[in-house]
Amino acid sequence: MGRLAGQTVFITGASAGIGASCARHFAEEHCNLVLTARRLERLEELRAELLAQYPEIQVHVVALDVTKRADVFAVVDALPEAFKNVDVLVNNAGLSLGLDHLLDVSEESVNIMFDTNVKGLLNVTQAIVPAMKQRGKGHIINIGSVAGKQAYAGGSIYCATKHAVEAMSQALTQELVNTPLRVTLVAPGLVQTEFSVVRFHGNQDKADSVYKGLDPLTGDDIAEVVVFAASRPPHVQINDILVYPTQQASVFHIHRN
Ligand code: NDP
Ligand code: 8X3
């Protein structure tokens, strides 16, 4: 058994993509899981899949919209006894809407992206981390993006939210330096998930074109990195990881076959 066995991992946005992959990889490490997202039926399917494969773990699923602050606190408050002590928090829920230029982006899209990627992450962190501090044990893993390191035309708001995730991760690392808690930012480049389908409002062809001619990252690639960071010894804090597909070198440099 590895270092993570028996630990409790709380994942936001576990119904798809990177979050669902993280659930599978932490389950493989014999962790107990709290899986959250808005689509409960997806979480229930994932729970059934994981319990069939890893009958020794416990999985709690709960519908949660991270933008609803009161719901976030209520869900954390109501965690069943076996899941109350969260050891690892994976702040993964997030999205991008459209590629509109700054002058054209709708107020609604701005609000959804900031409410989810920035305030949602803050809500969950504020609901879970105080108890970690009290227990003197915990690891916060934030999923940022290459878009949090460089901005690109059409991505102003999404990039702003991911720059904010970077800022919050850096500040939190400093604020927790006198505790045993650890903070990790994992910033992926292009990962083929439902991300682009959501960005292009369900247009699958447009979404597929984002990954045309290259071998993109998968949710599993990122989950492996997340589990690696979480499974280091307690005195090791992997703080900031940028993960590209081999054919990517920045938001602007993508080599397509
Ligand atoms: P997916 O669209 O596949 O998954 C996004 C997840 O976020 C879903 O489970 C969705 O669940 C959840 N989510 C969205 N809004 C909310 C909300 N308000 N409350 C709770 N959950 C929510 O995309 P990815 O897996 O790719 O994205 C995961 C993270 O990775 C995001 O933060 C994204 O910004 C980041 N990222 C993605 C990259 C990529 O290229 N794919 C690259 C870099 C970073 P549901 O709809 O059921 O609520
Ligand atoms: C998602 C990667 O390049 O589409 O965070 O912004 S990108």
Side-chain angles (χ1 to χ4, degrees):
M1 291 263 185
R3 290 191 189 103
L4 290 173
Q7 296 204 21
T8 299
V9 183
F10 189 110
I11 303 173
T12 66
S15 60
I18 295 169
S21 290
C22 285
R24 293 190 176 96
H25 283 257
F26 278 111
E28 200 178 346
E29 297 298 319
H30 310 282
C31 293
N32 299 316
L33 304 173
V34 181
L35 306 181
T36 71
R38 292 168 301 179
R39 289 171 292 180
L40 183 61
E41 66 292 348
R42 290 264 199 121
L43 297 176
E44 280 167 345
E45 281 168 27
L46 182 55
R47 178 176 187 271
E49 174 200 317
L50 295 176
L51 290 179
Q53 210 175 344
Y54 308 102
E56 75 283 4
I57 70 169
Q58 298 188 67
V59 181
H60 178 61
V61 297
V62 54
L64 180 62
D65 181 338
V66 295
T67 69
K68 299 194 169 141
R69 186 171 169 87
D71 291 0
V72 170
F73 279 81
V75 159
V76 171
D77 225 42
L79 284 175
E81 207 50 47
F83 299 92
K84 273 203 182 310
N85 292 336
V86 175
D87 298 295
V88 181
L89 164 61
V90 183
N91 272 320
N92 163 75
L95 81 176
S96 179
L97 294 175
L99 273 174
D100 296 315
H101 281 195
L102 184 89
L103 300 185
D104 304 319
V105 65
S106 72
E107 186 182 359
E108 190 194 4
S109 294
V110 173
N111 288 340
I112 293 173
M113 285 187 266
F114 269 98
D115 286 351
T116 309
N117 302 356
V118 181
K119 290 163 75 180
L121 184 146
L122 178 65
N123 290 338
V124 178
T125 303
Q126 289 187 333
I128 289 182
V129 176
M132 287 179 166
K133 264 183 94 171
Q134 259 180 4
R135 288 172 55 227
K137 184 171 190 297
H139 193 160
I140 302 99
I141 302 180
N142 292 335
I143 306 299
S145 170
V146 62
K149 302 189 185 285
Q150 289 177 300
Y152 54 90
S156 57
I157 303 306
Y158 178 66
C159 294
T161 67
K162 289 298 180 178
H163 276 70
V165 171
E166 289 249 353
M168 290 192 291
S169 301
Q170 285 177 21
L172 188 63
T173 307
Q174 293 167 31
E175 290 163 7
L176 295 176
V177 72
N178 60 344
T179 76
L181 273 58
R182 301 183 289 182
V183 179
T184 298
L185 174 76
V186 177
L190 290 170
V191 191
Q192 192 159 18
T193 59
E194 293 174 18
F195 178 84
S196 292
V197 181
V198 172
R199 168 170 256 176
F200 296 121
H201 308 287
N203 186 331
Q204 187 70 52
D205 288 342
K206 230 170 156 181
D208 290 345
S209 70
V210 173
Y211 312 102
K212 232 180 204 134
L214 80 142
D215 197 0
L217 296 168
T218 65
D220 288 337
D221 295 324
I222 301 305
E224 283 185 9
V225 172
V226 167
V227 167
F228 178 78
S231 58
R232 293 313 86 208
H235 67 286
V236 179
Q237 174 175 231
I238 295 188
N239 192 233
D240 189 353
I241 313 179
L242 175 60
V243 190
Y244 285 136
T246 305
Q247 286 167 273
Q248 181 171 17
S250 78
V251 286
F252 308 109
H253 296 86
I254 295 160
H255 176 72
R256 297 184 194 267
N257 302 324

